[in-house]
Amino acid sequence: MDDAREDHLEWALDTAETIGSSSLADYVAERARELPQWSENTKDLLRLADSLEGSRLITQEVSAEFRALVDNHFSSQISERVAGGWIAVNNWYAYLDEPIGWLADGTLLDDMVECALEELRELAAEPGDLSEASIGFLEALLGFLTDNDAHLLHEEEFRAVDRIREQLTRAREAAWRSLAERSPDRGRPVKLPPNPRHEQVVVVSEFMSDLGNAESDGPG
């Protein structure tokens, strides 16, 4: 296995705990120090940091050092994305399975919130370029601001963008209803076309079966 992967070190640390191997735990600690230098596996790094802190075979000094490396690594990642605008921030944030509470005490989350608020202000001022394809984008933006209680900082702009989201949603739903009503096949069961791959499998299976029967019959 690749010993430069977070999931491998997770497995190795779990094994070290199971068999009580301090040498294997030392190996994990040594390899873990190199991970934040290149990794973009945000969730895996955070999970490994938690595992190191909870391990009875890893010293507090080592786990604290790794946590600091991870925090510094994410600080640079977030700074780059904030500079790129809200879309870059949201794409990174949406990858996480849970809120990034470990940022709550620092300025990184504040930077992300301010980036979202800047996007909110721009959308509220010039909503003309938005279309139905923007619904998911707007929901992500409004959801992020709500999760971090930032919607209260610019309530008027928040409500304006939320109204735009509702208008776009209603327009999309109306378009779908209209399309369904105009469809000549409305209410009829849909017959799917045959799966070409399935047909190929059947042909190959029949060919192999015939070949097997020919071999069993012997020459001629």
Side-chain angles (χ1 to χ4, degrees), residues 175-217:
W176 277 107
R177 285 195 301 270
S178 176
L179 179 63
E181 292 172 354
R182 293 197 309 269
S183 173
D185 295 326
R186 182 186 179 200
R188 298 180 185 176
V190 178
K191 182 179 180 181
L192 297 178
N195 187 334
R197 183 174 179 82
H198 173 70
E199 292 183 350
Q200 293 172 8
V201 171
V202 172
V203 171
V204 172
S205 299
E206 292 177 351
F207 172 77
M208 295 302 294
S209 176
D210 294 340
L211 183 62
N213 292 335
E215 290 178 349
S216 63
D217 291 341

Side-chain angles (χ1 to χ4, degrees), residues 6 59 103 106 115 131 133 143 149 152 156 162 166 192 205:
E6 296 85 348
T59 65
L103 286 175
C115 185
S131 65
D149 297 325
L152 302 176
E156 183 177 348
D162 195 31
E166 291 178 353
L192 297 178
S205 299

Side-chain angles (χ1 to χ4, degrees), residues 16-218:
E17 294 280 354
T18 301
I19 65 177
S21 173
S22 58
S23 59
L24 184 56
D26 291 341
Y27 154 79
V28 172
E30 179 181 354
R31 300 300 296 172
R33 291 187 178 95
E34 303 172 8
L35 289 178
Q37 299 177 21
W38 56 268
S39 177
E40 292 188 3
N41 297 324
T42 305
K43 293 182 291 187
D44 294 336
L45 282 176
L46 291 174
R47 186 164 52 246
L48 181 57
D50 292 338
S51 297
L52 290 173
E53 290 174 349
S55 174
R56 59 186 175 84
L57 298 176
I58 301 295
T59 65
Q60 184 177 0
E61 179 182 0
V62 169
S63 62
E65 178 186 355
F66 181 74
R67 178 70 71 175
L69 289 173
V70 171
D71 287 349
N72 290 335
H73 176 64
F74 289 158
S75 297
S76 62
Q77 281 196 330
I78 294 175
S79 297
E80 292 175 3
R81 285 160 175 77
V82 166
W86 167 247
I87 293 180
V89 170
N90 180 66
N91 290 343
W92 183 86
Y93 181 75
Y95 176 70
L96 299 177
D97 289 332
E98 57 188 26
I100 43 179
W102 49 274
L103 286 175
D105 296 331
T107 60
L108 295 176
L109 185 57
D110 293 338
D111 293 340
M112 295 172 67
V113 168
E114 181 55 38
C115 185
L117 289 173
E118 181 178 351
E119 183 72 21
L120 178 76
R121 291 190 291 266
E122 292 179 0
L123 291 175
E126 299 181 5
D129 294 335
L130 294 174
S131 65
E132 294 176 14
S134 306
I135 294 175
F137 173 77
L138 295 178
E139 289 177 344
L141 173 64
L142 298 176
F144 175 82
L145 292 171
T146 301
D147 289 344
N148 293 281
D149 297 325
H151 60 297
L152 302 176
L153 300 178
H154 296 273
E155 293 186 44
E156 183 177 348
E157 289 90 345
F158 188 94
R159 285 194 297 269
V161 173
D162 195 31
R163 284 195 297 270
I164 297 169
R165 178 193 61 79
E166 291 178 353
Q167 293 170 1
L168 293 174
T169 300
R170 288 195 297 269
R172 181 171 64 179
E173 292 174 349
W176 277 107
R177 285 195 301 270
S178 176
L179 179 63
E181 292 172 354
R182 293 197 309 269
S183 173
D185 295 326
R186 182 186 179 200
R188 298 180 185 176
V190 178
K191 182 179 180 181
L192 297 178
N195 187 334
R197 183 174 179 82
H198 173 70
E199 292 183 350
Q200 293 172 8
V201 171
V202 172
V203 171
V204 172
S205 299
E206 292 177 351
F207 172 77
M208 295 302 294
S209 176
D210 294 340
L211 183 62
N213 292 335
E215 290 178 349
S216 63
D217 291 341

